[in-house]
Amino acid sequence: MVIQDFLDTNITYLSGVGPVRAELLNKELNIFTYRDLLYNFPYRYIDRTKFYKINELDPDLPFVQIKGVIKGYSTEGQGPGKRLVAEFKDETGSVKLIWFKGGKWITGNYIPGVEFIVFGKPGVFNGTINIIHPEIEAVNKMAERLNSALQAQYSTTEKLKNQFITSKTISKFTGTLLNQLKSRLPDNLPEYLVSKYKLMDLHDSIHKIHFPSDPAELEKARYRLKFEELFYIQLNLLRFKTNRNLKLKGFVFSSVGDNFNNFYYNNLPFTLTEAQKRVIKEIRKDLGSGRQMNRLLQGDVGSGKTLVALMSMLIAIDNGYQACIMAPTEILANQHFQTITRLLEGINLKISLLTGSSKKASRKSIAESLLDSSLNILIGTHALLEDNVQFSNLGLVIIDEQHRFGVAQRGRLWQKNLNPPHILVMTATPIPRTLAMTLYGDLDVSVIDELPPGRVPVKTMHFTDSERNKVFGFIRNQIAEHRQIYVVYPLIKESETMDYKDLEDGWDTFSRVFPAPKYCISIVHGKMTPANKEVSMKLFKDGHAHILIATTVIEVGVDIPNATVMIIESAERFGLSQLHQLRGRVGRGADQSYCILMSSEKLSKEAAKRIEVMIRTNDGFEIAETDLQLRGPGDIEGTQQSGIPFDLKIANLSKDGRIIEYARHIAEGILTDDPLLEKNQNQILITELKRLFSKLQSWSNIS
Ligand code: ADP
Ligand code: MG
């Protein structure tokens, strides 16, 4: 049998598995084939050269190994708590071994007086140390163990354990399979890479990861397998980008014309920051290059991305094309419409707003003006994606707060033209560099790393619920100084009803403490009609309302410079990036702004850490890094929509940044040398890419 076919063999045929266990392995561990079993890596290793003495055991220890004899068995407890107990002794003391089932087999096999090795996790019950369901091995058996001191531990589940598939069983299956290999596993990286970068080859890596003989060797195996995993992800992303550049011609926006210049010289309300200038230059270069632009613009909240978006659209218009900008909420689309209309005052361009609540008549006129090319800029929400929204010559698509959209949605905008428009996606969620390389690895990235001048950093403070009166006093003073206040309540899908109750209770409290007519409080939440939302927002925007009580609908984008206080209720329930986004709503003018985090007295360790970080820094990238450390990359917004079609088996996007960079660098080198991977030596790459990524066909043309 060819080795590849052998690896594709159904796991059910492996000796000791069979259909019942195979089904469990499918369901519980995603193991379907021999290959899957080999790639089911241990999650840790236990050093089985080390033995503890029984008098050293304490319940804080992890799994331990002890040597001794069983003195005798007894039965304790009644009903479901009934258990077999063995007294196990060495020269320093004794410990109880406990089984809740399988008693007969145990008393029959582990004879008192014979020396055994016991392996398990020490626990404590009624003040005595015990080990529940230990593994037991005869001393003379130890030598036979696949000469490995570091014993691999595999993940299992309750269901697996009930069918007696333990970590040890999985190790045994893997050993059986490796013994059946008739030849060496062929490498899935080209020979030239393996030798040039001194990687351990695949055959050895797979053996050593499961049965390492020493830590150094294990490390080499782990490194190689991590590299392989990350390398193929990078190669896939970069190949995608290379292909796109080779295949797709972008519209050439060769010149900067009247609209741009007119705006720049007459309407621009302030000088651009250096970072804005640099980013606009990068975008202009893309637009004129003849390649389709696919660029991610990262910039912290308040860094002035809207202006960059607008100036890019003016370039498109100057070259005879239409442009559109899509935002994730109506509030934000509205705001963009107003801001952009105001910024373009006196410049003869037609701008329209299209959202879910646009009336039929206005939809119709928008549709007409899109087709007869009289409409220059369309601003809107998801409504832009509808089939009946058709452009005559869409040249540039801008997607604001792109993490709020799914990949498929963005792809639909892209298809609105026969020829692909240029794409600029913008995000205020800073993503650590190496993570961005993986999540948006096929995009070019621009960063606005500078805030407009004169911004005073927001001061962040933490108060518990019992200190509420202090906070009210502070709000009163701020309002006396003509400042406005946001109060935000969490809204989490699972407990929506409770959340709305919190919001209503909050509204009651604030209305009592800040009574009308002296004070005016406005409220915005997701259950209101868009029209009502708009009225409330306007009340606050125009400065009539002193306080805006809201759910996280205001999280993204809203820009009201006179609002200087952001109060976040139940701050412990928000993630770091959300807290940072919310804080970004204030500190937009020249006045000192404040962010007040309210929480209960008792905080989990992680919540306390989040609050501590918020107080310490305003730097979005530092916050993103901490978030990544605290939560792991799987929870970071956008990860699920990324170009990674499978769970990573061994690499870790937050910890293996250096390997990611290295793998990317090597993948770039290969594609520079052989853009279509046509060379003989690279055929193995094509085979492996196909195998790994074929399920991912629907992945859209923009990431
Ligand atoms: P974001 O990047 O979060 O989308 P915005 O585009 O909403 O930020 O800009 C935030 C605020 O900064 C707006 O009020 C905008 O008018 C202002 N702004 C943008 N660029 C500059 C600049 N170069 N100088 C001064 N203020 C600026
Ligand atoms: Mg914005």
Side-chain angles (χ1 to χ4, degrees):
M1 202 192 303
V2 197
I3 184 105
Q4 294 303 339
D5 294 337
F6 176 75
L7 292 176
D8 285 330
T9 308
N10 192 313
I11 193 72
T12 192
Y13 298 114
L14 187 68
S15 133
V17 179
V20 177
R21 291 174 139 194
E23 200 184 320
L24 270 171
L25 290 171
N26 296 171
K27 278 206 187 117
E28 300 293 303
L29 296 179
N30 250 321
I31 297 176
F32 292 86
T33 63
Y34 286 5
R35 179 189 281 104
D36 295 338
L37 182 64
L38 294 182
Y39 274 78
N40 175 56
F41 299 133
Y43 69 96
R44 65 164 179 192
Y45 298 83
I46 287 161
D47 183 357
R48 300 220 41 185
T49 53
K50 172 154 181 67
F51 284 91
Y52 280 82
K53 295 291 177 209
I54 287 175
N55 68 355
E56 293 172 327
L57 298 190
D58 84 64
D60 289 334
L61 286 172
F63 281 74
V64 297
Q65 192 168 235
I66 49 182
K67 208 188 292 183
V69 293
I70 290 171
K71 296 305 287 179
Y73 289 102
S74 61
T75 316
E76 290 181 8
Q78 292 296 323
K82 192 171 155 191
R83 56 205 179 265
L84 175 71
V85 178
E87 192 195 351
F88 189 75
K89 256 180 89 73
D90 70 4
E91 68 281 8
T92 69
S94 72
V95 60
K96 281 182 171 181
L97 309 181
I98 295 174
W99 293 268
F100 289 93
K101 58 189 175 202
K104 217 175 191 170
W105 193 86
I106 286 153
T107 48
N109 277 271
Y110 302 125
I111 313 295
V114 178
E115 192 168 45
F116 287 110
I117 291 164
V118 162
F119 176 72
K121 167 89 187 79
V124 65
F125 181 70
N126 275 349
T128 24
I129 304 278
N130 63 34
I131 299 179
I132 295 173
H133 289 197
E135 280 176 28
I136 300 189
E137 214 170 20
V139 172
N140 58 11
K141 272 258 168 112
M142 216 181 93
E144 290 173 24
R145 225 190 273 136
L146 286 144
N147 64 8
S148 170
L150 289 167
Q151 196 173 56
Q153 298 286 302
Y154 298 88
S155 314
T156 52
T157 64
E158 260 331 286
K159 279 191 184 143
L160 286 169
K161 280 188 205 146
N162 288 340
Q163 287 299 315
F164 305 102
I165 304 181
T166 60
S167 166
K168 204 168 159 186
T169 325
I170 294 170
S171 172
K172 220 156 119 191
F173 289 159
T174 310
T176 307
L177 177 55
L178 288 173
N179 282 333
Q180 278 183 32
L181 281 178
K182 296 255 161 41
S183 58
R184 289 182 69 79
L185 282 170
D187 217 296
N188 56 355
L189 288 172
E191 163 59 31
Y192 71 91
L193 275 189
V194 175
S195 55
K196 181 164 175 199
Y197 298 104
K198 300 197 173 54
L199 299 169
M200 188 182 266
D201 72 14
L202 182 65
H203 182 86
D204 286 345
S205 309
I206 291 283
H207 274 78
K208 298 303 174 195
I209 193 106
H210 292 293
F211 301 104
S213 33
D214 66 71
E217 207 178 54
L218 172 61
E219 205 30 57
K220 275 199 93 171
R222 283 174 59 80
Y223 181 84
R224 139 79 206 217
L225 292 164
K226 281 181 182 182
F227 176 86
E228 169 190 326
E229 189 165 47
L230 295 168
F231 169 78
Y232 274 108
I233 289 171
Q234 291 303 328
L235 185 66
N236 190 51
L237 287 163
L238 291 168
R239 188 175 68 129
F240 188 79
K241 182 171 165 184
T242 312
N243 281 346
R244 190 172 54 205
N245 288 346
L246 288 173
K247 265 199 248 146
L248 298 178
K249 283 229 173 57
F251 299 127
V252 184
F253 296 173
S254 50
S255 57
V256 161
D258 290 350
N259 291 305
F260 186 96
N261 286 328
N262 197 353
F263 173 77
Y264 189 78
Y265 293 110
N266 302 322
N267 285 33
L268 193 61
F270 22 62
T271 11
L272 297 175
T273 63
E274 286 308 311
Q276 283 171 321
K277 280 187 203 160
R278 188 187 65 236
V279 167
I280 290 171
K281 241 187 229 152
E282 285 165 358
I283 292 172
R284 269 183 64 175
K285 200 163 159 212
D286 277 5
L287 296 177
S289 72
R291 289 190 293 110
Q292 181 213 15
M293 173 170 79
N294 270 276
R295 189 167 280 279
L296 171 71
L297 174 55
Q298 282 197 55
D300 212 344
V301 283
S303 60
K305 293 185 292 295
T306 316
L307 206 55
V308 172
L310 173 59
M311 293 177 74
S312 311
M313 293 198 285
L314 293 175
I315 299 177
I317 296 165
D318 278 341
N319 286 274
Y321 291 90
Q322 294 168 312
C324 72
I325 176 163
M326 182 165 78
T329 64
E330 284 203 13
I331 289 180
L332 199 51
N334 262 315
Q335 181 181 284
H336 278 326
F337 179 70
Q338 285 164 21
T339 311
I340 289 174
T341 307
R342 188 162 32 81
L343 284 168
L344 292 180
E345 226 162 83
I347 297 177
N348 186 22
L349 291 174
K350 191 167 157 63
I351 311 158
S352 291
L353 174 70
L354 179 68
T355 67
S357 43
S358 298
K359 298 275 174 335
K360 225 178 169 177
S362 96
R363 279 170 192 263
K364 193 161 165 258
S365 93
I366 287 174
E368 283 167 11
S369 60
L370 275 176
L371 285 179
D372 69 17
S373 304
S374 61
L375 185 58
N376 303 106
I377 295 177
L378 182 60
I379 297 169
T381 55
H382 297 78
L384 298 194
L385 299 173
E386 284 161 20
D387 290 337
N388 50 13
V389 179
Q390 303 236 319
F391 296 80
S392 58
N393 57 350
L394 180 60
L396 171 66
V397 167
I398 294 174
I399 300 173
D400 195 17
E401 307 296 348
Q402 65 75 37
H403 60 283
R404 290 298 191 92
F405 295 97
V407 172
Q409 285 176 323
R410 287 179 265 151
R412 269 167 70 190
L413 255 188
W414 190 90
Q415 287 151 8
K416 294 233 167 225
N417 244 34
L418 216 52
N419 291 317
H422 295 291
I423 314 272
L424 180 67
V425 299
M426 308 200 293
T427 183
T429 308
I431 304 158
R433 213 170 82 83
T434 55
L435 190 58
M437 269 183 196
T438 310
L439 297 185
Y440 304 107
D442 66 322
L443 302 182
D444 296 307
V445 179
S446 291
V447 183
I448 305 187
D449 49 6
E450 179 189 358
L451 293 178
R455 294 276 168 87
V456 185
V458 180
K459 269 201 188 121
T460 302
M461 301 177 279
H462 174 215
F463 291 97
T464 59
D465 291 328
S466 58
E467 300 166 295
R468 207 163 266 285
N469 278 334
K470 259 194 230 163
V471 176
F472 288 146
F474 178 75
I475 295 176
R476 221 170 268 126
N477 291 338
Q478 286 288 310
I479 294 177
E481 289 181 29
H482 309 289
R483 303 274 165 261
Q484 292 170 284
I485 322 286
Y486 294 103
V487 184
V488 177
Y489 286 83
L491 186 54
I492 294 166
K493 274 252 148 44
E494 294 87 68
S495 59
E496 233 179 52
T497 357
M498 259 171 59
D499 285 345
Y500 276 111
K501 182 154 184 324
D502 284 354
L503 182 79
E504 275 162 23
D505 291 350
W507 160 262
D508 284 347
T509 310
F510 274 91
S511 305
R512 225 176 314 114
V513 181
F514 300 95
K518 182 160 185 220
Y519 295 99
C520 171
I521 305 181
S522 185
I523 186 164
V524 186
H525 59 73
K527 285 190 173 171
M528 292 162 69
T529 63
N532 281 340
K533 253 190 243 173
E534 179 141 338
V535 171
S536 290
M537 277 313 283
K538 194 160 167 10
L539 211 58
F540 191 66
K541 228 177 171 162
D542 294 348
H544 297 306
H546 302 102
I547 300 176
L548 177 72
I549 294 186
T551 52
T552 44
V553 286
I554 61 154
E555 177 191 336
V556 290
V558 174
D559 184 28
I560 301 171
N562 192 50
T564 53
V565 182
M566 166 63 68
I567 297 177
I568 305 176
E569 296 285 346
S570 304
E572 69 269 37
R573 290 176 54 198
F574 288 93
L576 256 183
S577 72
Q578 235 184 343
L579 290 173
H580 180 64
Q581 286 283 313
L582 285 168
R583 178 169 59 185
R585 297 305 110 223
V586 296
R588 305 196 141 223
D591 302 299
Q592 178 65 58
S593 287
Y594 302 89
C595 173
I596 296 179
L597 305 172
M598 298 299 302
S599 79
S600 55
E601 327 278 310
K602 263 210 155 153
L603 292 178
S604 72
K605 221 164 123 190
E606 297 222 325
K609 173 87 187 159
R610 289 197 293 269
I611 289 175
E612 182 259 307
V613 173
M614 285 293 292
I615 293 172
R616 177 160 52 82
T617 179
N618 277 302
D619 177 342
F621 279 92
E622 186 180 344
I623 287 172
E625 286 284 356
T626 314
D627 202 22
L628 188 61
Q629 305 303 337
L630 283 177
R631 295 202 297 174
D635 295 322
I636 301 284
E637 272 181 301
T639 317
Q640 288 79 11
Q641 312 166 1
S642 69
I644 310 170
F646 41 73
D647 287 336
L648 293 181
K649 290 193 161 37
I650 184 161
N652 178 323
L653 295 184
S654 42
K655 299 205 177 110
D656 295 323
R658 287 177 67 173
I659 311 182
I660 297 176
E661 288 189 56
Y662 191 53
R664 185 174 176 92
H665 175 73
I666 292 171
E668 273 167 352
I670 293 174
L671 287 170
T672 309
D673 171 58
D674 183 13
L676 295 172
L677 299 179
E678 291 168 320
K679 290 192 176 169
N680 231 347
Q681 61 182 17
N682 288 330
Q683 289 323 294
I684 197 170
L685 298 174
I686 296 275
T687 313
E688 196 64 8
L689 284 170
K690 274 196 187 133
R691 196 178 67 70
L692 289 168
F693 296 95
S694 58
K695 286 186 208 113
L696 202 69
Q697 268 149 12
S698 61
W699 192 38
S700 77
N701 282 306
I702 58 161
S703 178

